[in-house]
Amino acid sequence: MKISDFKLTKGNRTRICAKITFEDCDQPEKEIFIETSNEFGSSINLNPSAFLVGSIIPALYFKERRVAVDGRISPFLIEGLETVMALMENWTKGEFKPLVIESSRAVSLFEQLPGNRAGMVFSGGVDSIAALRLNRLRYHKNHPGYIRDCFFIHGFDIGGVVERGMKYHVFERAFNAMEKITHDAEAELIPVYTNIRHLCDERDLWLNRFFGAVLASVAHAFSSRINLFYIASSYDVNNLVPCGSHPLLDPEYSSFDVRIRHRDLSWSRIDKIRLISDWDNGLKHLRVCLANVKDHLNCGKCEKCIRTMTALLAVDALHKSDAFIENDVTPEMFEPFKINIRHREPFYCELIPLLKEKGRDDLVDTIKEKFVE
């Protein structure tokens, strides 16, 4: 794989882009990009690291023998990516073979001092809202670890799958809702648009290997603005499994200029739900659904919605949230989907004792039955 032709352009948005050329497979040449609104155009920079981090997992998946970058890459980052490749080889039982990273020794295209700010990826889900809330409770406003920028990314659940369309109107609607949370937290919400996921639109690869690297690529794209980038954990330390975002992976995408931290490993999902339930704006605008239905942030019918609604019910908070239409959960709501896929069982197990205390044996029995489907 070659990564070349780096460009920064301005139009309706400010964009950095690069050309991806595959050398050892029949994938077509592709231009990948990261862009933001012109309001934040001065904060995005033409950093080759952004495209290397975003492309490394597809390069492994398509069995490329090298990645040659037409630009200088930090040795600190290359060392991290060597660890990433070793993990990928282990997780795939040897299917993903480590490749060689080649970078130019010429003068870097990126010669700015890093920004002295902390940022985070912000989806509006349980993990990211809890991460922002914890940051506000723990850090003084003048502390360098205080989150000042939240990045809301198009090209993940919204616009990530080509066949489903780009859905920019859905993104704008979600952005407006998320801005209410970040405004309350006195943080800047920055829109980001990228097509890096489209390098390989294979669902299992995305979820189990890839998406954390694309989050990190966004951090590198804004390295003139931030030097610390938080990624909220999906699983607590007792329930870790191979995943696209993982505490052994995410920090290895750091460079000397941009540190990436996978955070809140000690917090279970129900701990995070309790934390959010005490923050009115976070609870009101909670966005967990991937369906992107018309007129609502959450469909109230899918597995993620029902799981979150059940957790909110278990901590007496479902009736306080405007994020879902229903104020109760019934066993019938569980019928359309499975709950024992993609390591979701821990999220349900921690609900069982709380539901028992509330006398909701109907939901306890339903969850137990769904475990063995």
Side-chain angles (χ1 to χ4, degrees):
M1 175 187 284
K2 294 181 180 179
I3 306 177
S4 61
D5 290 4
F6 300 101
K7 298 175 184 175
L8 187 152
T9 61
K10 288 192 176 182
N12 293 331
R13 303 189 188 106
T14 302
R15 167 184 290 201
I16 59 171
C17 60
K19 182 173 70 176
I20 302 296
T21 306
F22 291 90
E23 299 177 295
D24 300 306
C25 66
D26 59 358
Q27 290 295 306
E29 184 176 280
K30 191 173 187 67
E31 182 181 272
I32 59 173
F33 63 82
I34 300 172
E35 61 184 19
T36 188
S37 61
N38 288 329
E39 177 185 358
F40 299 100
S42 61
S43 297
I44 197 167
N45 49 271
L46 200 54
N47 187 347
S49 297
F51 300 103
L52 172 60
V53 170
S55 303
I56 192 74
I57 303 302
L60 295 172
Y61 180 80
F62 289 119
K63 304 188 184 327
E64 294 289 291
R65 287 176 289 185
R66 70 167 187 167
V67 176
V69 185
D70 188 16
R72 184 166 61 83
I73 301 296
S74 163
F76 191 89
L77 174 56
I78 292 176
E79 290 169 359
L81 293 180
E82 288 171 349
T83 301
V84 169
M85 290 189 287
L87 279 170
M88 290 295 166
E89 184 178 30
N90 177 269
W91 288 359
T92 61
K93 296 180 168 51
E95 182 182 348
F96 286 12
K97 300 293 184 185
L99 48 77
V100 176
I101 298 173
E102 301 174 3
S103 71
S104 169
R105 292 185 179 272
V107 175
S108 175
L109 295 171
F110 172 59
E111 292 291 347
Q112 302 179 54
L113 293 174
N116 189 26
R117 295 166 69 96
M120 68 171 290
V121 59
F122 191 82
S123 67
V126 171
D127 298 322
S128 63
I129 291 181
L132 181 58
R133 183 61 172 165
L134 276 173
N135 183 268
R136 289 300 180 260
L137 294 174
R138 291 174 171 174
Y139 286 81
H140 187 273
K141 194 170 185 178
N142 295 327
H143 193 285
Y146 184 91
I147 293 169
R148 303 185 186 282
D149 297 320
C150 294
F151 296 89
F152 188 57
I153 307 174
H154 179 275
F156 275 61
D157 61 303
I158 304 175
V161 180
V162 176
E163 290 77 11
R164 296 178 185 172
M166 293 298 96
K167 298 184 178 180
Y168 290 114
H169 66 290
V170 176
F171 181 79
E172 293 300 324
R173 185 183 69 200
F175 182 91
N176 291 336
M178 297 307 98
E179 201 168 31
K180 293 180 174 65
I181 303 175
T182 56
H183 178 77
D184 187 47
E186 298 183 345
E188 190 89 64
L189 187 63
I190 298 176
V192 182
Y193 307 80
T194 181
N195 68 340
I196 294 179
R197 178 177 178 174
H198 300 164
L199 280 173
C200 183
D201 199 10
E202 202 280 320
R203 187 168 183 265
D204 285 341
L205 181 78
W206 175 250
L207 294 173
N208 297 329
R209 310 280 185 261
F210 189 17
F211 74 90
V214 182
L215 295 176
S217 72
V218 170
H220 286 286
F222 285 85
S223 55
S224 65
R225 184 180 179 98
I226 61 170
N227 67 348
L228 175 60
F229 187 72
Y230 295 111
I231 298 177
S233 62
S234 298
Y235 298 100
D236 62 89
V237 72
N238 294 319
N239 294 291
L240 289 173
V241 291
C243 181
S245 174
H246 189 281
L248 291 178
L249 281 178
D250 294 345
E252 302 302 339
Y253 294 125
S254 301
S255 69
F256 195 76
D257 296 327
V258 181
R259 291 172 294 145
I260 297 172
R261 184 177 182 188
H262 185 105
R263 53 166 301 151
D264 306 328
L265 281 166
S266 63
W267 285 70
S268 70
R269 185 62 61 89
I270 196 63
D271 290 334
K272 294 176 181 179
I273 290 284
R274 287 193 181 98
L275 183 69
I276 293 171
S277 69
D278 289 329
W279 185 15
D280 288 343
N281 256 304
L283 186 62
K284 183 176 181 180
H285 301 290
L286 180 64
R287 174 184 170 267
V288 303
C289 188
L290 303 182
N292 300 314
V293 295
K294 185 178 181 181
D295 298 330
H296 295 98
L297 290 176
N298 304 289
C299 73
K301 298 178 181 179
C302 69
E303 187 275 332
K304 287 193 73 177
C305 280
I306 300 304
R307 177 180 6 119
T308 306
M309 291 166 63
T310 305
L312 290 169
L313 179 71
V315 299
D316 291 321
L318 180 58
H319 68 283
K320 297 192 298 181
S321 176
D322 295 333
F324 303 96
I325 298 174
E326 301 291 341
N327 288 328
D328 194 16
V329 178
T330 65
E332 291 74 23
M333 292 179 174
F334 286 83
E335 291 180 0
F337 50 78
K338 296 181 180 295
I339 68 172
N340 55 357
I341 59 174
R342 297 195 179 280
H343 201 57
R344 292 169 181 168
E345 294 92 337
F347 301 144
Y348 288 98
C349 286
E350 63 186 3
L351 299 181
I352 289 175
L354 297 176
L355 293 171
K356 280 186 176 179
E357 290 177 5
K358 293 188 169 303
R360 293 303 304 264
D361 291 336
D362 56 336
L363 296 182
V364 172
D365 292 342
T366 298
I367 291 171
K368 289 181 177 180
E369 290 170 4
K370 297 290 284 186
F371 278 157
V372 297
E373 280 189 352

